[in-house]
Amino acid sequence: EIVAEALFVASEQSIMRNLVRNYTIAGGGKSVEVPIYANVSAAAVSEASDLSNTAINPTSVTITASEVGIMTTLTDLARNSASRNVAGDIGRLFGEAIARKIDADLSALFTGFSTEKGPGAGNEIVVQDLFEAAAELRTNNAPGPYYGVFHPKQIFNVKKTLTNTFVGRDTELSNEAMRSGFVGNIAGIQIFESSNISVDGSDDSIGGVFSQDALALAMMQDLKIESQRDASLRADELVATAVFGVSEIHDSYGVKITADTLAA
């Protein structure tokens, strides 16, 4: 019961995991090497002319996994006196904690993107910033689809703009923003909100617009929960662990957007 509950919540709560490249570390070792091939160009040639040689020298990114975990002690008295399934509740908490850690580690990589667009610290994001970010990715030949992940208060001004009286409330985006709070697809970017994006001491945060090939998650061991009996304590130790690594693959396939989070 603990494992089933925890795995379900981990899958549902992690936004970033489904938006980046996923690799599995198997067969020994705790790292995976991802080769990266640069773009090559074809050129016109004259009849009966020999082609010149094009060197193909891929670079690589190594993603090394490390452990994350959480542990608690569930006493027999607490288990037996509770009206709920305490073990199931603990599994839910553990699943959410591991999922938030994965999201936080991946979104922290936004700072490594080589290009920055947007209003900057202390200012609110506008729709134009998203169009500029999409144009940058297309200029860099970043493959789609494109995703945007922002702190909820960072993207608030965009939703407010889409639903105010000046742009009208009869557009598809405006209606969806008012019904569910989900912004939707703007400039070819699927917009997501995540409170796992950190906010600095000046109430600014760094969101990202990126291609799936910009970032990677290498999973060596997915969420695992184990219990160990401590008879003298009359309790069970419940331990949740995961082993994974994250890395930036193509920094030109992502755009970081720094903006204020006090708008809402």
Side-chain angles (χ1 to χ4, degrees), residues 1-2 70-94 225-240:
E1 291 177 349
I2 298 173
I70 182 172
M71 187 271 284
T72 193
T73 301
L74 176 61
T75 65
D76 293 346
L77 182 60
R79 185 199 302 268
N80 297 331
S81 63
S83 59
R84 290 176 52 84
N85 178 4
V86 179
D89 290 344
I90 291 173
R92 180 186 181 91
L93 292 174
F94 282 3
I225 294 184
E226 298 178 288
S227 63
Q228 177 174 294
R229 181 67 181 170
D230 189 334
S232 63
L233 189 61
R234 291 93 58 212
D236 292 300
E237 289 184 352
L238 303 178
V239 179

Side-chain angles (χ1 to χ4, degrees), residues 21 23 34-39 58-61 63 109-110 112-115 137 140-143 209-216 247-256:
R21 283 290 170 193
Y23 298 96
V34 181
I36 301 174
Y37 289 87
N39 290 329
T59 59
S60 65
V61 171
I63 308 174
L109 298 176
F110 292 164
F113 291 154
S114 57
T115 302
L137 293 183
N140 293 337
N141 297 315
V209 176
F210 53 94
S211 162
Q212 186 179 39
D213 290 340
L215 306 174
S247 180
E248 180 183 289
I249 302 180
H250 288 281
D251 61 0
S252 63
Y253 284 3
V255 175
K256 56 185 173 183

Side-chain angles (χ1 to χ4, degrees), residues 22-186:
N22 281 252
Y23 298 96
T24 300
I25 301 176
K30 59 179 181 179
S31 62
V32 61
E33 187 173 2
V34 181
I36 301 174
Y37 289 87
N39 290 329
V40 295
S41 299
V45 294
S46 302
E47 184 178 354
S49 295
D50 197 8
L51 291 170
S52 59
N53 184 62
T54 299
I56 305 295
N57 297 311
T59 59
S60 65
V61 171
T62 299
I63 308 174
T64 302
S66 60
E67 285 186 295
V68 299
I70 182 172
M71 187 271 284
T72 193
T73 301
L74 176 61
T75 65
D76 293 346
L77 182 60
R79 185 199 302 268
N80 297 331
S81 63
S83 59
R84 290 176 52 84
N85 178 4
V86 179
D89 290 344
I90 291 173
R92 180 186 181 91
L93 292 174
F94 282 3
E96 291 176 344
I98 297 293
R100 287 196 302 270
K101 177 60 175 172
I102 292 174
D103 267 23
D105 286 359
L106 284 169
S107 60
L109 298 176
F110 292 164
T111 58
F113 291 154
S114 57
T115 302
E116 181 163 10
K117 296 289 184 181
N123 298 294
E124 296 179 335
I125 294 177
V126 296
V127 175
Q128 178 180 330
D129 298 325
L130 301 177
F131 276 89
E132 290 182 355
E136 183 69 23
L137 293 183
R138 292 188 178 96
T139 300
N140 293 337
N141 297 315
Y146 298 155
Y147 303 108
V149 180
F150 302 92
H151 189 279
K153 290 189 175 182
Q154 191 185 32
I155 200 66
F156 171 78
N157 188 62
V158 172
K159 292 192 290 186
K160 180 177 68 175
T161 302
L162 291 172
T163 57
N164 69 26
T165 56
F166 296 101
V167 298
R169 296 195 176 111
D170 57 351
T171 66
E172 180 182 350
L173 273 178
S174 298
N175 290 335
E176 187 62 27
M178 287 190 294
R179 278 196 302 266
S180 64
F182 176 64
V183 178
N185 193 309
I186 299 178

